[in-house]
Amino acid sequence: MKVQFAKWGNSLAIRVPSKLVESLGVLPGTVADMDLRGDRLVITPRKHVYRLDDLLAAITPDNLHAEVPTGARVGKEQID
């Protein structure tokens, strides 16, 4: 697949074609590592690792949702 470097501020940029984006499963904001291997430029998207402490720390009164009704209690979840 042929791509072209373009000027972006003081840097150069390459657009990633949508077919590759779909194959990689990346989204805007995905972090990637970029390395030189010999004369090749290698870009590898990082897999995001979720940590429970980070997720819990991100909960605020503004983004905490209310209880969600799920119907009457049944079976062993029934409290007497």
PDB file of all heavy atoms in Angstrom, residues 26-39:
ATOM      1  N   VAL A  26      -8.096   0.090  15.637  1.00  0.00           N
ATOM      2  CA  VAL A  26      -7.686   1.273  16.386  1.00  0.00           C
ATOM      3  C   VAL A  26      -8.712   2.390  16.233  1.00  0.00           C
ATOM      4  O   VAL A  26      -9.501   2.403  15.284  1.00  0.00           O
ATOM      5  CB  VAL A  26      -6.286   1.771  15.961  1.00  0.00           C
ATOM      6  CG1 VAL A  26      -5.225   0.750  16.300  1.00  0.00           C
ATOM      7  CG2 VAL A  26      -6.241   2.127  14.498  1.00  0.00           C
ATOM      8  N   LEU A  27      -8.691   3.312  17.183  1.00  0.00           N
ATOM      9  CA  LEU A  27      -9.588   4.465  17.198  1.00  0.00           C
ATOM     10  C   LEU A  27      -8.764   5.728  17.341  1.00  0.00           C
ATOM     11  O   LEU A  27      -7.603   5.669  17.768  1.00  0.00           O
ATOM     12  CB  LEU A  27     -10.552   4.361  18.386  1.00  0.00           C
ATOM     13  CG  LEU A  27     -11.458   3.136  18.417  1.00  0.00           C
ATOM     14  CD1 LEU A  27     -12.166   3.039  19.759  1.00  0.00           C
ATOM     15  CD2 LEU A  27     -12.469   3.211  17.288  1.00  0.00           C
ATOM     16  N   PRO A  28      -9.329   6.887  17.038  1.00  0.00           N
ATOM     17  CA  PRO A  28      -8.607   8.129  17.308  1.00  0.00           C
ATOM     18  C   PRO A  28      -8.200   8.185  18.778  1.00  0.00           C
ATOM     19  O   PRO A  28      -8.978   7.835  19.655  1.00  0.00           O
ATOM     20  CB  PRO A  28      -9.629   9.220  16.982  1.00  0.00           C
ATOM     21  CG  PRO A  28     -10.537   8.590  15.979  1.00  0.00           C
ATOM     22  CD  PRO A  28     -10.630   7.136  16.398  1.00  0.00           C
ATOM     23  N   GLY A  29      -6.963   8.536  19.034  1.00  0.00           N
ATOM     24  CA  GLY A  29      -6.454   8.594  20.395  1.00  0.00           C
ATOM     25  C   GLY A  29      -5.703   7.341  20.818  1.00  0.00           C
ATOM     26  O   GLY A  29      -5.096   7.311  21.883  1.00  0.00           O
ATOM     27  N   THR A  30      -5.735   6.290  19.987  1.00  0.00           N
ATOM     28  CA  THR A  30      -4.982   5.081  20.305  1.00  0.00           C
ATOM     29  C   THR A  30      -3.498   5.411  20.354  1.00  0.00           C
ATOM     30  O   THR A  30      -2.966   6.084  19.481  1.00  0.00           O
ATOM     31  CB  THR A  30      -5.226   3.987  19.237  1.00  0.00           C
ATOM     32  OG1 THR A  30      -6.605   3.649  19.239  1.00  0.00           O
ATOM     33  CG2 THR A  30      -4.402   2.744  19.515  1.00  0.00           C
ATOM     34  N   VAL A  31      -2.819   4.945  21.385  1.00  0.00           N
ATOM     35  CA  VAL A  31      -1.382   5.168  21.544  1.00  0.00           C
ATOM     36  C   VAL A  31      -0.636   4.063  20.793  1.00  0.00           C
ATOM     37  O   VAL A  31      -1.061   2.903  20.807  1.00  0.00           O
ATOM     38  CB  VAL A  31      -0.990   5.168  23.033  1.00  0.00           C
ATOM     39  CG1 VAL A  31       0.510   5.303  23.218  1.00  0.00           C
ATOM     40  CG2 VAL A  31      -1.715   6.289  23.766  1.00  0.00           C
ATOM     41  N   ALA A  32       0.465   4.431  20.139  1.00  0.00           N
ATOM     42  CA  ALA A  32       1.251   3.456  19.381  1.00  0.00           C
ATOM     43  C   ALA A  32       2.734   3.683  19.649  1.00  0.00           C
ATOM     44  O   ALA A  32       3.149   4.782  20.026  1.00  0.00           O
ATOM     45  CB  ALA A  32       0.965   3.578  17.894  1.00  0.00           C
ATOM     46  N   ASP A  33       3.522   2.629  19.467  1.00  0.00           N
ATOM     47  CA  ASP A  33       4.982   2.724  19.511  1.00  0.00           C
ATOM     48  C   ASP A  33       5.484   2.819  18.081  1.00  0.00           C
ATOM     49  O   ASP A  33       4.964   2.148  17.183  1.00  0.00           O
ATOM     50  CB  ASP A  33       5.585   1.486  20.182  1.00  0.00           C
ATOM     51  CG  ASP A  33       5.251   1.410  21.657  1.00  0.00           C
ATOM     52  OD1 ASP A  33       5.415   2.433  22.347  1.00  0.00           O
ATOM     53  OD2 ASP A  33       4.822   0.340  22.110  1.00  0.00           O
ATOM     54  N   MET A  34       6.513   3.656  17.866  1.00  0.00           N
ATOM     55  CA  MET A  34       7.103   3.814  16.543  1.00  0.00           C
ATOM     56  C   MET A  34       8.597   3.543  16.667  1.00  0.00           C
ATOM     57  O   MET A  34       9.268   4.115  17.531  1.00  0.00           O
ATOM     58  CB  MET A  34       6.859   5.237  16.010  1.00  0.00           C
ATOM     59  CG  MET A  34       7.257   5.384  14.578  1.00  0.00           C
ATOM     60  SD  MET A  34       6.948   7.011  13.810  1.00  0.00           S
ATOM     61  CE  MET A  34       5.666   7.749  14.743  1.00  0.00           C
ATOM     62  N   ASP A  35       9.107   2.637  15.834  1.00  0.00           N
ATOM     63  CA  ASP A  35      10.510   2.241  15.902  1.00  0.00           C
ATOM     64  C   ASP A  35      11.098   2.152  14.505  1.00  0.00           C
ATOM     65  O   ASP A  35      10.377   1.953  13.524  1.00  0.00           O
ATOM     66  CB  ASP A  35      10.648   0.851  16.547  1.00  0.00           C
ATOM     67  CG  ASP A  35      10.132   0.811  17.958  1.00  0.00           C
ATOM     68  OD1 ASP A  35      10.672   1.540  18.803  1.00  0.00           O
ATOM     69  OD2 ASP A  35       9.187   0.034  18.211  1.00  0.00           O
ATOM     70  N   LEU A  36      12.418   2.277  14.441  1.00  0.00           N
ATOM     71  CA  LEU A  36      13.146   1.992  13.213  1.00  0.00           C
ATOM     72  C   LEU A  36      13.744   0.603  13.352  1.00  0.00           C
ATOM     73  O   LEU A  36      14.404   0.299  14.357  1.00  0.00           O
ATOM     74  CB  LEU A  36      14.274   2.999  13.001  1.00  0.00           C
ATOM     75  CG  LEU A  36      13.896   4.309  12.349  1.00  0.00           C
ATOM     76  CD1 LEU A  36      15.119   5.216  12.262  1.00  0.00           C
ATOM     77  CD2 LEU A  36      13.303   4.101  10.970  1.00  0.00           C
ATOM     78  N   ARG A  37      13.498  -0.245  12.385  1.00  0.00           N
ATOM     79  CA  ARG A  37      14.110  -1.574  12.339  1.00  0.00           C
ATOM     80  C   ARG A  37      14.846  -1.651  11.015  1.00  0.00           C
ATOM     81  O   ARG A  37      14.237  -1.892   9.972  1.00  0.00           O
ATOM     82  CB  ARG A  37      13.065  -2.673  12.467  1.00  0.00           C
ATOM     83  CG  ARG A  37      12.395  -2.633  13.825  1.00  0.00           C
ATOM     84  CD  ARG A  37      11.488  -3.802  14.040  1.00  0.00           C
ATOM     85  NE  ARG A  37      10.751  -3.598  15.288  1.00  0.00           N
ATOM     86  CZ  ARG A  37       9.609  -4.185  15.570  1.00  0.00           C
ATOM     87  NH1 ARG A  37       9.058  -5.022  14.715  1.00  0.00           N
ATOM     88  NH2 ARG A  37       9.008  -3.949  16.719  1.00  0.00           N
ATOM     89  N   GLY A  38      16.129  -1.405  11.100  1.00  0.00           N
ATOM     90  CA  GLY A  38      16.911  -1.290   9.869  1.00  0.00           C
ATOM     91  C   GLY A  38      16.465  -0.041   9.148  1.00  0.00           C
ATOM     92  O   GLY A  38      16.494   1.052   9.704  1.00  0.00           O
ATOM     93  N   ASP A  39      16.001  -0.187   7.918  1.00  0.00           N
ATOM     94  CA  ASP A  39      15.514   0.964   7.161  1.00  0.00           C
ATOM     95  C   ASP A  39      13.993   0.989   7.097  1.00  0.00           C
ATOM     96  O   ASP A  39      13.396   1.638   6.247  1.00  0.00           O
ATOM     97  CB  ASP A  39      16.111   0.970   5.754  1.00  0.00           C
ATOM     98  CG  ASP A  39      15.704  -0.244   4.927  1.00  0.00           C
ATOM     99  OD1 ASP A  39      15.156  -1.206   5.519  1.00  0.00           O
ATOM    100  OD2 ASP A  39      15.928  -0.238   3.709  1.00  0.00           O
TER     101      ASP A  39
END
